[in-house]
Amino acid sequence: MVVEEEEEEEEEVTETVAPQEPKAPKIWPDLATEHRLECQKRVDTIREVFQDDDEEFDPTMVSEYAEEIFEYMSELEERMMPKADYMDSQSELTWDMRVTLVDWLLQVHLRYHMLPETLWIAINIIDRFLSDRTVSVVKLQLVGITAIFIAAKYEEILAPSVDEFVFMTEEGFTKDEILKGERIILQALDFQISHYCSPYNWMRRISKADDYDLQTRTLSKFLIEVTLIDSRFLRAKSSLVAAVGMYSARTMLGGDWNESFVYYSGYTEDELFQGHQFIVEKMAERSFHKLALYKKYANKKFLKASTFAVKWSRAHVAGVGGVENTMLDADLV
């Protein structure tokens, strides 16, 4: 995606403050109050009786503080969520444009071998910024490249220089434009960048339920990245996205969602099924294989996770059996 240079005088990254619109229900799953309380009661019951002896004797798990840490992260994840319906306030942008931007940023992220958290922080910056400001279509790529530039500063040990990001836009924007955009975005977000906790923070904990199974973990990484291009997941907390990814991976690989997974994730199967359906629907789309996301995870390095998941999803949607228990080829590592 390349934006041609404008001959007119340089514009601001943003034009006007987006009008305040009534907020859509922010967080799902959409369960009836009584059903939601039943799910929470089951989680609480499991947490009261479930014991993890290994965690108690593993100093790296800091079991003495784990509960307080994740309680604090739970508070942060709601505070750092964007408006789920922010596109209604954008006069020139569409959800399809966001998909194109995210898929392009994934290529930039892959090109410089950046950490997974860098991509997630960048997308969160974009969504929260667009929740607050109206952006013209010609400046959307500038917002995207500036967001990943900011995220890289927070996460990477050796972050790419601003000149390298200019190169990735094929010089569609100048160094000064990116630096100016950085100031505007940081001020708009009140410099609250590191407060965001990506799904990876929760996935690492949930993975303990199956002793960090390689196939499940690799597949779930792909599945949670699928949520980045589905605007319906803007209503989902990071912890829920991580749980949905793990649940979907377990389902595709023929596993179950036992008490151990409920304990570490904090979600029951009823709370995750809707998100699982969303992911399956997205991967079953005919054009999904054209995305850079699909091509990234079709690599042997990732056990060809996208190839397997898309095949499973399309067979599932078509009602064709015989794919549910197909395992990824571990020899492809």
Side-chain angles (χ1 to χ4, degrees):
M1 180 175 64
V2 180
V3 180
E4 297 181 357
E5 292 186 359
E6 298 179 289
E7 296 179 356
E8 301 176 358
E9 183 178 352
E10 177 183 326
E11 301 175 351
E12 296 284 346
V13 173
T14 61
E15 296 180 348
T16 58
V17 176
Q20 295 294 323
E21 297 285 344
K23 292 184 179 180
K26 194 174 185 181
I27 301 172
W28 56 269
D30 297 321
L31 298 177
T33 302
E34 185 177 347
H35 192 182
R36 184 180 293 108
L37 291 175
E38 289 177 359
C39 291
Q40 186 58 52
K41 183 178 180 180
R42 180 163 184 261
V43 172
D44 293 339
T45 300
I46 291 174
R47 284 181 167 172
E48 287 177 3
V49 299
F50 191 93
Q51 290 186 340
D52 186 347
D53 297 331
D54 293 336
E55 183 173 287
E56 183 178 352
F57 296 101
D58 185 354
T60 63
M61 298 301 293
V62 290
S63 58
E64 302 93 336
Y65 310 108
E67 185 174 345
E68 294 179 7
I69 290 172
F70 281 95
E71 283 181 1
Y72 177 60
M73 287 170 57
S74 295
E75 294 176 9
L76 289 179
E77 65 175 343
E78 288 196 32
R79 281 169 43 193
M80 302 301 287
M81 289 177 66
K83 296 177 183 177
D85 59 347
Y86 71 73
M87 203 61 76
D88 294 341
S89 301
Q90 298 292 335
S91 58
E92 298 184 22
L93 307 183
T94 66
W95 289 118
D96 286 339
M97 292 179 186
R98 179 185 179 275
V99 171
T100 302
L101 177 66
V102 170
D103 201 51
W104 175 73
L105 285 176
L106 193 144
Q107 297 176 63
V108 175
H109 176 266
L110 191 61
R111 167 68 175 78
Y112 290 105
H113 307 285
M114 289 185 273
L115 296 171
E117 285 83 354
T118 301
L119 177 65
W120 284 92
I121 292 175
I123 304 304
N124 179 258
I125 290 173
I126 293 168
D127 288 328
R128 287 196 294 131
F129 184 71
L130 294 181
S131 296
D132 185 64
R133 302 294 181 90
T134 300
V135 176
S136 64
V137 65
V138 296
K139 294 297 182 181
L140 180 60
Q141 188 185 26
L142 176 58
V143 172
I145 200 67
T146 304
I148 199 167
F149 173 59
I150 295 170
K153 284 187 174 183
Y154 272 85
E155 284 294 324
E156 303 296 329
I157 296 176
L158 295 174
S161 68
V162 64
D163 292 321
E164 290 176 286
F165 286 115
V166 170
F167 171 77
M168 289 305 296
T169 66
E170 298 184 13
E171 299 186 357
F173 299 101
T174 65
K175 176 179 178 179
D176 289 340
E177 284 180 300
I178 293 178
L179 294 177
K180 182 178 181 180
E182 178 186 23
R183 294 193 296 272
I184 293 173
I185 290 176
L186 289 174
Q187 289 172 359
L189 301 183
D190 197 24
F191 290 82
Q192 294 190 23
I193 306 299
S194 60
H195 298 66
Y196 172 69
C197 302
S198 79
Y200 272 81
N201 296 99
W202 276 271
M203 181 177 290
R204 294 185 181 101
R205 180 168 175 80
I206 301 172
S207 292
K208 190 169 174 55
D210 62 1
D211 199 25
Y212 306 99
D213 179 71
L214 175 63
Q215 294 176 344
T216 304
R217 189 174 171 85
T218 303
L219 182 56
S220 62
K221 287 179 180 179
F222 164 64
L223 296 174
I224 65 170
E225 287 195 21
V226 172
T227 68
L228 287 173
I229 60 172
D230 191 333
S231 61
R232 292 174 293 187
F233 281 92
L234 290 176
R235 294 175 54 202
K237 297 186 292 186
S238 293
S239 58
L240 179 59
V241 171
V244 167
M246 290 294 292
Y247 171 76
S248 297
R250 293 280 297 175
T251 300
M252 292 179 181
L253 294 172
D256 61 354
W257 195 253
N258 55 42
E259 291 187 354
S260 183
F261 283 97
V262 175
Y263 172 78
Y264 285 112
S265 70
Y267 293 100
T268 64
E269 186 171 0
D270 288 349
E271 295 174 286
L272 304 176
F273 186 71
Q274 183 184 24
H276 167 65
Q277 287 183 308
F278 287 167
I279 290 178
V280 171
E281 290 171 6
K282 178 59 67 174
M283 290 190 296
E285 293 178 358
R286 296 184 63 180
S287 60
F288 185 84
H289 67 281
K290 298 179 181 179
L291 296 172
L293 171 61
Y294 174 86
K295 297 173 183 177
K296 169 186 174 181
Y297 280 92
N299 192 289
K300 290 182 179 180
K301 174 183 176 182
F302 297 107
L303 305 179
K304 295 190 175 182
S306 60
T307 304
F308 166 78
V310 169
K311 178 182 178 182
W312 189 96
S313 298
R314 290 177 176 173
H316 181 77
V317 170
V320 179
V323 185
E324 284 76 8
N325 294 324
T326 302
M327 299 294 289
L328 295 173
D329 188 352
D331 294 334
L332 294 176
V333 180

